[in-house]
């Protein structure tokens, strides 16, 4: 009897994405989706991804198929659902007459209204599967249906995120810190927090380390009326409030303007396309150039942390447009 090696979880996800019905977005049918809602079980495009993020992770947990790390449980959940056709047979079981799915070129308002109706308000589900606010619970006949319904269970006290039109995604790689400030007896437990609009993401805590190496990638959705990214470094404390270890602002205008000006970066070789200049008004240690590197728009920088006695932070930014 021949023994076969078990199929890896990543291979399962790749095989699932290659299925014909998963080669288009579950919500607008745009080709070649590179994002997914791990708890709902659908593959989606970047434009729909922005709306899914605004629903909150208690409804839709968005992950990049290529950029994010997936747990085995998340991949198994996607496989269990079976893909876009299977999921839509539940979520779009009862599309009312006159309601049409948005197309790939639909505007943000049309796209948002449909996605919220589909997943948050459950308007297209079979009535017997809808969650109600009463005390009676729904009896579900299979683990698949149970998981579908669990993804809609929300705490009424949770705040919903307002509708925002996104123009792309910003991937920030927090590379390392150097000579960070001491906030404990002789060291610190630093972590980095990034804020853009209402979004907040952070690195893990580096225990007892003034020169931490994170190499962690954080994702932010960039709204149409974006502002600088606010960066803060904190010292983690177990029994008291975390102490600030410096801050800085990241002007993402040069990166985005350069990327939009040149369009598809895969059409160009490696080259410099923009620059953020060091000045007394920003935290740059040296000028920061925007470059096309292997078909991607990237920008490396080293920031001197502000309002603190010492500390530098090395970052790498990457712009991901709606067309990627």
């Amino acid at each position: 009897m021949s023994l076969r090696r078990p199929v890896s979880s990543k291979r399962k996800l790749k095989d699932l994405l290659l299925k014909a019905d998963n080669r288009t977005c579950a919500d607008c049918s745009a080709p070649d989706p590179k994002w997914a809602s791990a708890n709902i079980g659908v593959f989606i495009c970047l434009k729909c991804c922005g709306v899914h993020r605004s629903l909150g992770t208690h409804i839709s947990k968005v992950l990049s198929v290529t950029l994010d790390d997936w747990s085995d449980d998340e991949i198994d959940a996607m496989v269990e659902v079976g893909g876009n056709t299977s999921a839509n047979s539940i979520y779009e079981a009862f599309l009312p007459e006159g309601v049409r799915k948005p197309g790939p070129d639909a505007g943000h308002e049309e796209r948002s209204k449909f996605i919220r109706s589909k997943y948050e308000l459950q308007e297209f589900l079979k009535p017997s599967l809808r969650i109600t606010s009463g005390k009676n619970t729904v009896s579900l006949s299979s683990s698949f249906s149970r998981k579908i319904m669990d993804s809609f269970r929300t705490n009424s006290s949770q705040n919903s995120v307002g509708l925002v039109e996104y123009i792309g995604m910003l991937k920030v790689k927090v590379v390392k810190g150097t000579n960070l400030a001491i906030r404990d007896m002789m060291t610190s437990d630093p972590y980095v927090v990034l804020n853009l609009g209402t979004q907040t993401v952070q690195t893990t805590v580096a225990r007892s380390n003034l020169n931490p190496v994170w190499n962690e990638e954080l994702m932010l959705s960039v709204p149409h009326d974006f502002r600088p990214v606010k960066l803060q470094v904190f010292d983690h404390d177990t029994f008291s409030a975390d102490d600030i270890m410096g801050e800085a602002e990241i002007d993402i205008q040069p990166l985005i303007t350069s990327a939009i000006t040149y369009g598809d970066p895969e059409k160009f070789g490696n080259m410099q396309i923009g620059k953020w200049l060091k000045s007394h008004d920003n935290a740059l240690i040296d000028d920061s150039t925007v470059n096309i590197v292997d078909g991607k728009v990237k920008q490396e920088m080293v920031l001197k942390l502000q309002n603190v006695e010492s500390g530098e932070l090395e970052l790498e930014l990457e712009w991901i447009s709606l067309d990627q």
Side-chain angles (χ1 to χ4, degrees):
M1 182 179 68
S2 62
L3 296 177
R4 295 183 177 179
R5 296 177 64 184
V7 178
S8 69
S9 294
K10 275 289 189 181
R11 178 58 186 272
K12 291 180 182 178
L13 184 64
K14 183 178 179 180
D15 289 345
L16 184 63
L17 184 58
L18 291 175
K19 291 178 60 177
D21 60 317
N22 296 330
R23 300 308 300 157
T24 58
C25 174
D27 297 328
C28 75
S29 301
D32 195 24
K34 291 184 173 66
W35 300 83
S37 172
N39 57 328
I40 293 176
V42 292
F43 293 97
I44 53 178
C45 69
L46 186 55
K47 291 182 180 179
C48 290
C49 159
V51 181
H52 275 256
R53 284 180 180 274
S54 74
L55 299 178
T57 56
H58 56 291
I59 293 179
S60 182
K61 181 178 181 181
V62 177
L63 293 173
S64 166
V65 175
T66 56
L67 300 176
D68 289 325
D69 292 326
W70 289 62
S71 69
D72 289 345
D73 288 342
E74 288 166 342
I75 293 176
D76 289 342
M78 292 288 296
V79 173
E80 183 182 357
V81 172
N84 291 352
T85 297
S86 297
N88 281 344
S89 69
I90 299 293
Y91 294 111
E92 298 178 5
F94 287 86
L95 279 176
E97 185 176 351
V99 173
R100 298 178 59 184
K101 293 185 64 168
D105 298 324
H108 181 73
E109 183 176 353
E110 178 185 357
R111 191 184 304 268
S112 296
K113 181 179 180 181
F114 179 83
I115 291 174
R116 286 185 174 273
S117 297
K118 180 176 177 179
Y119 301 112
E120 184 178 42
L121 302 178
Q122 312 165 39
E123 291 181 353
F124 312 142
L125 280 173
K126 185 177 180 180
S128 62
L129 290 179
R130 295 174 186 166
I131 294 292
T132 63
S133 59
K135 295 183 179 180
N136 295 332
T137 58
V138 181
S139 176
L140 303 173
S141 60
S142 68
S143 60
F144 168 61
S145 295
R146 189 174 297 110
K147 181 164 63 62
I148 289 288
M149 298 316 298
D150 284 345
S151 72
F152 286 106
R153 298 184 189 278
T154 63
N155 188 321
S156 59
S157 65
Q158 287 179 288
N159 294 325
S160 61
V161 181
L163 288 176
V164 179
E165 182 177 359
Y166 295 109
I167 61 172
M169 304 290 292
L170 179 69
K171 179 167 70 172
V172 181
K173 183 177 183 179
V174 182
V175 181
K176 65 179 182 179
T178 303
N179 193 29
L180 299 183
I182 296 174
R183 286 294 179 268
D184 297 327
M185 290 295 292
M186 298 182 65
T187 186
S188 295
D189 302 318
Y191 64 95
V192 179
V193 177
L194 301 177
N195 293 99
L196 181 61
T198 60
Q199 304 167 80
T200 301
V201 292
Q202 69 180 62
T203 66
T204 56
V205 176
R207 300 291 180 182
S208 302
N209 199 335
L210 299 180
N211 297 283
V213 177
W214 281 286
N215 282 322
E216 294 183 19
E217 295 177 346
L218 307 175
M219 298 292 294
L220 292 164
S221 299
V222 180
H224 188 270
D225 56 343
F226 64 87
R227 300 179 182 275
V229 174
K230 184 177 181 180
L231 179 151
Q232 294 176 300
V233 181
F234 290 94
D235 169 50
H236 175 73
D237 287 319
T238 303
F239 301 108
S240 62
D242 293 351
D243 298 317
I244 188 73
M245 296 175 62
E247 58 189 350
E249 283 194 345
I250 306 170
D251 184 2
I252 58 177
Q253 181 75 54
L255 175 72
I256 297 175
T257 300
S258 300
I260 293 175
T261 299
Y262 277 81
D264 185 358
E266 295 184 354
K267 295 180 180 179
F268 300 90
N270 293 353
M271 59 186 294
Q272 178 182 326
I273 61 173
K275 181 182 290 188
W276 180 24
L277 297 176
K278 172 188 174 182
S279 76
H280 67 276
D281 293 325
N282 61 47
L284 284 177
I285 291 180
D286 293 301
D287 292 348
S288 173
T289 60
V290 181
N291 301 283
I292 294 177
V293 181
D294 298 331
K296 299 178 180 179
V297 178
K298 295 186 175 184
Q299 181 179 9
E300 296 179 352
M301 63 184 64
V302 181
L303 303 175
K304 181 176 177 60
L305 296 174
Q306 307 294 294
N307 304 317
V308 68
E309 58 269 28
S310 65
E312 300 175 3
L313 213 60
E314 182 178 335
L315 307 173
E316 180 185 280
L317 277 54
E318 180 181 340
W319 174 249
I320 304 171
S321 74
L322 290 174
D323 297 325
Q324 286 183 249

